[in-house]
Amino acid sequence: MKIKKIICYILIMFLICNVELGTSINQEGFISSEVKVISQPLNSNEYEIQWAQNYGSDWAGGRYQGPQPIGDCNNDGENEILFAGRDGCLQVMKWNKDSEQYEEIARLHSPFHQFFLLRERMIGTPPPNAGGFAIGDITGDGENEIAATWYGAVYKYLEGEFKLIGFNSWIFRNGGGNGDCLIGDCNNDGENELIMSGGGGSPLDSVPEIVILKWNGWKLEKIATYDFPAYGYAYMAGLGDPDNDGENEITVGFTNYENRINEYNKIMVLDWDEANAEFVATELSKTKGWNEAPFGGWCADSDGDNIDEIHVGYVDPRISIFDWNGEEYEMSFDKEWPGEGMLIEGLNVGDVDDDGIAEVCAGTDIVHILQWNGNTYIEESLITDSYGDLAVLNVGDCDNDGKNEISVAPVFVDNGMDYYQWIFKYDLD
């Protein structure tokens, strides 16, 4: 009996010591973009702050992106919104029509949270953060769950509270990290998977940048991976049908860590090959250096042609949009904002001004709102109330009025500045 207890203790301590790798920022290398499209900004006062929360000036106040943080996670017919950052918790927030505030209805923590608190008291290492999080139907029961990157944890609303129903720590047990997660059907079997993006480890023993987890009826199991040929990291991934073939593909940017100056980062589309049970990669573009590290691959129809475009952000304040021309992908738009904050994950698509047309929202330290005019994307509005490096920019109906809002927050601010989460609304009155 004593031997069993000792073995269990060793296994638990091994698990909790494998702390996830959040987004790390270091700057070296630069490559200029090949395509330039200039548009004249139009300053706009039509977007107002509906709500804001101050997380203080401490480092822990920085917020992380969640690819799918707006949705009905407790299956009550109304949307909630998830917030998380470097404070080791995941807030579930809901709009209160009476108080006209977003109020916390639940606060989630990683598996073995109590052990992490004990470890923090013993050696000072804080609990892990939810670098990414999403709302969607993972279990295939027709109801939504919450997923978070801390060990691929899945939470379900049961008996009046969110309960941890499963997790898979394979990435962390093998020395890797996980920056984001996305829920969707990436192998076109009619059921959703949990797409984990990250990587890490070491050049000789790296963890695949894309790891696919699937609910098998009682737990999450690893069913597929894609390993970038070089040692690298995928900060986030998108999912959609950008080649209009009726099947989903994963769109993702890989940052090369072996030599950020001389080796290429790459933006790729991963198409699932059912016969060989593997992803087939198509290269869209490549860049050099940390400043040109690609983030994301948001798939959405932003030009009104009923085909998803691929939207990519970079460490430099720059976005690129790729289109399928019927035979191959081509870059249809590229835009830089020199001197502004990093763009990174602060990129999303949706109808934010209730005109029936989707806008591309790009967050540097401010928010650029672009709209397709039939020929190119023009900047129709600008939100200047935000500041810092906006790793968070989400579009969705946060307050359940049938119209989209824009949720924005920085992951880095200047010393002495407070970390905020803002929700902006068009024509607030």
Side-chain angles (χ1 to χ4, degrees), residues 7 21 44 92 122 125 132 182 209 218 239 242 244 276 285 316 325-326 328 340 355 370:
I7 292 173
L21 302 177
S44 174
V92 183
M122 293 173 60
T125 302
L182 187 72
E209 286 77 12
W218 65 285
L239 183 72
N244 199 33
N276 295 302
S285 180
D316 272 348
N325 65 13
E328 61 182 1
E340 296 186 10
D355 64 352
L370 312 175

Side-chain angles (χ1 to χ4, degrees), residues 55-277:
Y55 288 89
S57 60
D58 186 81
W59 173 256
R63 300 292 93 191
Y64 287 139
Q65 169 73 300
Q68 297 160 316
I70 303 168
D72 183 7
C73 61
N74 63 359
N75 301 290
D76 66 348
E78 294 186 338
N79 286 341
E80 289 77 38
I81 181 169
L82 308 179
F83 297 154
R86 289 191 291 263
D87 49 8
C89 69
L90 177 60
Q91 292 177 281
V92 183
M93 309 288 285
K94 192 177 188 69
W95 177 253
N96 186 318
K97 296 182 178 65
D98 295 328
S99 64
E100 295 188 340
Q101 297 287 325
Y102 290 92
E103 299 175 350
E104 183 179 295
I105 63 170
R107 178 170 292 210
L108 309 182
H109 297 99
S110 64
F112 305 107
H113 180 64
Q114 296 302 318
F115 288 99
F116 286 123
L117 293 179
L118 175 61
R119 184 188 64 177
E120 184 177 24
R121 287 195 293 269
M122 293 173 60
I123 62 175
T125 302
N129 303 316
F133 36 93
I135 298 171
D137 182 8
I138 298 173
T139 62
D141 65 351
E143 295 187 344
N144 287 335
E145 291 83 32
I146 295 173
T149 55
W150 45 36
Y151 310 108
V154 178
Y155 303 84
K156 191 172 186 64
Y157 194 74
L158 298 167
E159 300 174 348
E161 62 179 337
F162 289 96
K163 296 183 178 181
L164 178 70
I165 62 170
F167 66 95
N168 188 314
S169 62
W170 182 87
I171 293 173
F172 307 102
R173 284 187 281 112
N174 287 275
N178 188 205
D180 276 294
C181 62
L182 187 72
I183 300 169
D185 183 7
C186 65
N187 63 1
N188 300 290
D189 66 349
E191 300 175 350
N192 287 338
E193 290 78 41
L194 183 58
I195 304 165
M196 308 283 276
S197 55
S202 70
L204 297 178
D205 187 22
S206 64
V207 171
E209 286 77 12
I210 297 295
V211 176
I212 309 300
L213 304 178
K214 192 175 187 68
W215 187 259
N216 67 5
W218 65 285
K219 69 175 184 177
L220 285 172
E221 60 178 347
K222 179 174 68 70
I223 64 166
T225 64
Y226 179 79
D227 196 0
F228 182 48
Y231 169 53
Y233 202 89
Y235 287 96
M236 62 192 311
L239 183 72
D241 184 13
D243 63 359
N244 199 33
D245 67 348
E247 295 188 343
N248 287 334
E249 291 82 34
I250 295 174
T251 54
V252 60
F254 296 100
T255 297
N256 192 317
Y257 275 0
E258 289 182 323
N259 189 328
R260 291 175 177 167
I261 296 177
N262 296 321
E263 299 294 332
Y264 285 108
N265 313 308
K266 292 187 178 182
I267 302 164
M268 292 185 175
V269 175
L270 306 181
D271 201 330
W272 180 250
D273 179 356
E274 178 63 29
N276 295 302

Side-chain angles (χ1 to χ4, degrees), residues 258-325:
E258 289 182 323
N259 189 328
R260 291 175 177 167
I261 296 177
N262 296 321
E263 299 294 332
Y264 285 108
N265 313 308
K266 292 187 178 182
I267 302 164
M268 292 185 175
V269 175
L270 306 181
D271 201 330
W272 180 250
D273 179 356
E274 178 63 29
N276 295 302
E278 64 182 10
F279 287 105
V280 177
T282 299
E283 181 182 312
L284 302 189
S285 180
K286 56 188 178 183
T287 63
K288 279 187 177 180
W290 174 243
N291 279 26
E292 288 293 310
F295 284 69
W298 294 107
C299 284
D301 178 16
S302 57
D303 64 5
D305 65 351
N306 296 316
I307 302 174
D308 289 338
E309 283 72 47
I310 301 170
H311 309 78
V312 180
Y314 304 85
V315 171
D316 272 348
R318 172 191 169 199
I319 65 168
S320 299
I321 300 177
F322 297 87
D323 263 294
W324 178 255
N325 65 13

Side-chain angles (χ1 to χ4, degrees), residues 369-386:
I369 299 176
L370 312 175
Q371 189 175 85
W372 180 255
N373 70 352
N375 181 51
T376 187
Y377 293 87
I378 61 170
E379 192 164 79
E380 65 172 15
S381 296
L382 194 66
I383 298 176
T384 58
D385 293 313
S386 58

